[in-house]
Amino acid sequence: MIASNNMSKKLNLPSRKNEKWRYSDLNLLEIPDYKDSELIKKDHFFTQDKGFYYIVILEGKFSKEKSILPKEGIEISCSKDDITNFNKGLKFEDKYQVLQNLDNNDDIVFINITENIDKPIKLIKLTSSNSTFFTTFINIEKNCNVKFYENFIQQGKHNNFINNVTRISLSDYASCKHFIQKNFEVEVRFINTTELACDSNSIYENYSVNAIDKSYRFESEAHLNGKKAQANFYGVNIAINNQIYDIVVDIKHNASDTLSNQHYNQVLNYNSSGSFYSNVYIAKSLNNLEAHQLNKNLILDERSKAYSRPMLDIHSDDVICSHGSTTGNIDEEALNYLATRGIKLQYAKQLIIIGLLKSVFSNSNLKESEIDDLYSQVYNSIKLIS
């Protein structure tokens, strides 16, 4: 076994027979022995850009003195009493990783957005200990629009395990652009769970470029509970050296006139693996539903593996749904074409890889500067493959 018997019982570890965990590496669940924090850099460096507000969480605990907040519009609390009824009835606590966080960490940060904020927010989550648990609740009130950069920063050379749970609730006509960013000094085993509830006319968008993790599991459960609610997930995984990426997205359309989009592309090399498991549930007697799933995988060596399973569970007739998946290696004809234009083999491969990954964000609702930032992350990660 990977973990001790006592640890297995405590965490209620899933078996390989559990469908949603079929392609996951169970090493994700092993928590290393705790090592005290060794924050070795001046963390104020991460809050110097005046174009943002900052909410700083150190080793799971909110740091008021290091955060930079507007005078109005954001309320932050660390009391469990404030979250008793948050997402009540959605059974998010049934997930093992949520229970794991609640068992291992009493620090829960509740962020309430009460009005529009004039600048985007960087949610800095900084750790240098062996194992860290972040639990964050974000409530966005009616008519509020917010842009969150959830930035995970790891320091130190020892092995790290991060278990993050982020719950987001959007009231009527609220919107949230949620960017997941990482700044790791070493490879990290990372479980990242996002739980989402959307009321009428609310819009949620999630964007990520993943390339540094030893193993990374992103699991999201989204409930579209009001008419014209939307949830959109766009991500890129670049696995280059025995790395493991596992994407699980579960979207439940519980109201009419709702929309969901999922698009994840992966590049796998040097005995790495990546999986995409997606399920869209559409309840009975709903009208004007739209849901799309797309996953494309590029395998660069014979030992890497890709698993893809987009699924639709439809109980209504008035729907527009699509799901697609492709897996393969680089097209030799495309390489030959680029070679006839004088492009070296190494750069030709890079062009094809970059084109595949950039396509994820090309049809998003982002500003040009936001897309350029995601493209820059792709470019920097592709250099690791060469």
Side-chain angles (χ1 to χ4, degrees):
M1 292 185 63
I2 292 171
S4 67
N5 290 332
N6 291 335
M7 182 64 74
S8 299
K9 291 178 182 179
K10 179 181 178 181
L11 299 183
N12 189 23
L13 300 184
S15 71
R16 294 186 186 276
K17 294 182 180 179
N18 188 319
E19 193 68 37
K20 290 188 179 182
W21 286 85
R22 174 169 290 179
Y23 308 124
S24 294
D25 177 13
L26 295 186
N27 281 304
L28 281 168
L29 310 181
E30 181 185 9
I31 301 175
D33 293 334
Y34 182 78
K35 182 177 181 179
D36 288 337
S37 173
E38 298 175 353
L39 293 179
I40 56 178
K41 293 183 179 178
K42 294 182 179 179
D43 40 64
H44 68 79
F45 170 80
F46 302 110
T47 60
Q48 286 184 337
D49 191 337
K50 294 183 179 180
F52 296 88
Y53 292 116
Y54 292 89
I55 300 173
V56 179
I57 302 176
L58 305 179
E59 308 292 0
K61 298 181 179 181
F62 170 61
S63 175
K64 182 177 181 180
E65 61 274 13
K66 297 183 184 298
S67 299
I68 302 174
L69 302 173
K71 294 181 179 179
E72 297 180 345
I74 299 179
E75 300 171 349
I76 298 179
S77 170
C78 299
S79 171
K80 285 190 175 182
D81 294 337
D82 294 333
I83 60 171
T84 303
N85 296 316
F86 192 89
N87 289 338
K88 186 176 181 180
L90 298 181
K91 298 183 178 179
F92 287 144
E93 284 79 4
D94 291 348
K95 295 180 182 294
Y96 97 92
Q97 58 267 52
V98 177
L99 290 172
Q100 184 179 338
N101 264 34
L102 297 177
D103 287 344
N104 286 278
N105 188 11
D106 291 329
D107 299 297
I108 296 177
V109 181
F110 180 80
I111 302 170
N112 191 31
I113 307 297
T114 60
E115 60 185 63
N116 286 327
I117 309 299
D118 60 338
K119 292 188 288 190
I121 300 168
K122 279 200 175 182
L123 182 56
I124 303 292
K125 297 186 174 182
L126 180 62
T127 178
S128 65
S129 60
N130 259 27
S131 56
T132 307
F133 301 85
F134 295 104
T135 306
T136 312
F137 290 73
I138 302 172
N139 182 60
I140 304 174
E141 295 190 358
K142 185 176 180 179
N143 295 319
C144 292
N145 303 314
V146 64
K147 186 189 301 181
F148 266 104
Y149 289 83
E150 193 173 18
N151 195 348
F152 297 90
I153 301 172
Q154 175 274 333
Q155 298 177 351
K157 301 301 181 182
H158 46 75
N159 294 327
N160 286 85
F161 171 87
I162 296 175
N163 190 8
N164 178 73
V165 174
T166 302
R167 292 182 177 178
I168 303 174
S169 179
L170 283 81
S171 300
D172 295 347
Y173 294 94
S175 69
C176 177
K177 289 182 179 179
H178 182 191
F179 298 85
I180 298 174
Q181 298 180 329
K182 303 169 193 175
N183 183 357
F184 296 160
E185 294 185 356
V186 296
E187 292 181 328
V188 173
R189 290 181 293 114
F190 189 7
I191 299 178
N192 188 14
T193 304
T194 296
E195 302 171 337
L196 176 67
C198 295
D199 290 340
S200 298
N201 295 280
S202 62
I203 301 174
Y204 174 80
E205 301 172 23
N206 183 289
Y207 300 92
S208 64
V209 176
N210 307 300
I212 309 299
D213 317 88
K214 178 63 177 178
S215 55
Y216 178 62
R217 177 181 175 85
F218 175 70
E219 180 170 353
S220 180
E221 180 175 330
H223 293 254
L224 303 181
N225 297 326
K227 283 190 174 184
K228 296 186 178 180
Q230 297 184 30
N232 306 288
F233 295 84
Y234 304 94
V236 163
N237 296 335
I238 303 169
I240 61 170
N241 185 19
N242 297 294
Q243 294 175 329
I244 301 165
Y245 287 89
D246 188 14
I247 305 297
V248 177
V249 182
D250 191 1
I251 297 180
K252 301 182 187 300
H253 289 255
N254 302 320
S256 296
D257 300 306
T258 49
L259 168 67
S260 66
N261 286 292
Q262 303 168 57
H263 189 175
Y264 282 89
N265 287 356
Q266 304 184 105
V267 175
L268 311 169
N269 201 9
Y270 302 127
N271 196 32
S272 296
S273 67
S275 70
F276 174 77
Y277 176 101
S278 168
N279 185 63
V280 172
Y281 171 82
I282 297 177
K284 294 180 180 179
S285 304
L286 300 182
N287 301 310
N288 194 26
L289 273 294
E290 192 168 346
H292 303 283
Q293 302 160 299
L294 183 59
N295 172 230
K296 296 182 179 181
N297 305 295
L298 186 61
I299 298 178
L300 302 182
D301 72 319
E302 294 181 354
R303 296 189 298 165
S304 294
K305 301 178 180 66
Y307 307 92
S308 183
R309 194 173 184 186
M311 299 193 302
L312 298 168
D313 186 6
I314 303 173
H315 301 272
S316 183
D317 295 328
D318 187 9
V319 301
I320 299 174
C321 294
S322 66
H323 63 171
S325 174
T326 62
T327 299
N329 51 20
I330 292 181
D331 188 348
E332 293 294 332
E333 290 187 6
L335 290 177
N336 291 334
Y337 174 83
L338 293 172
T340 61
R341 269 61 183 174
I343 300 175
K344 292 182 179 180
L345 179 62
Q346 175 186 351
Y347 300 122
K349 288 183 177 180
Q350 285 187 359
L351 286 175
I352 293 172
I353 293 171
I354 289 171
L356 173 73
L357 300 180
K358 287 175 62 175
S359 66
V360 172
F361 308 114
S362 59
N363 295 321
S364 63
N365 297 318
L366 296 175
K367 297 178 181 178
E368 185 175 350
S369 60
E370 295 168 340
I371 293 179
D372 287 343
D373 180 59
L374 291 167
Y375 285 175
S376 177
Q377 295 178 51
V378 170
Y379 295 142
N380 292 334
S381 301
I382 291 302
K383 294 177 183 178
L384 301 174
I385 294 180
S386 305

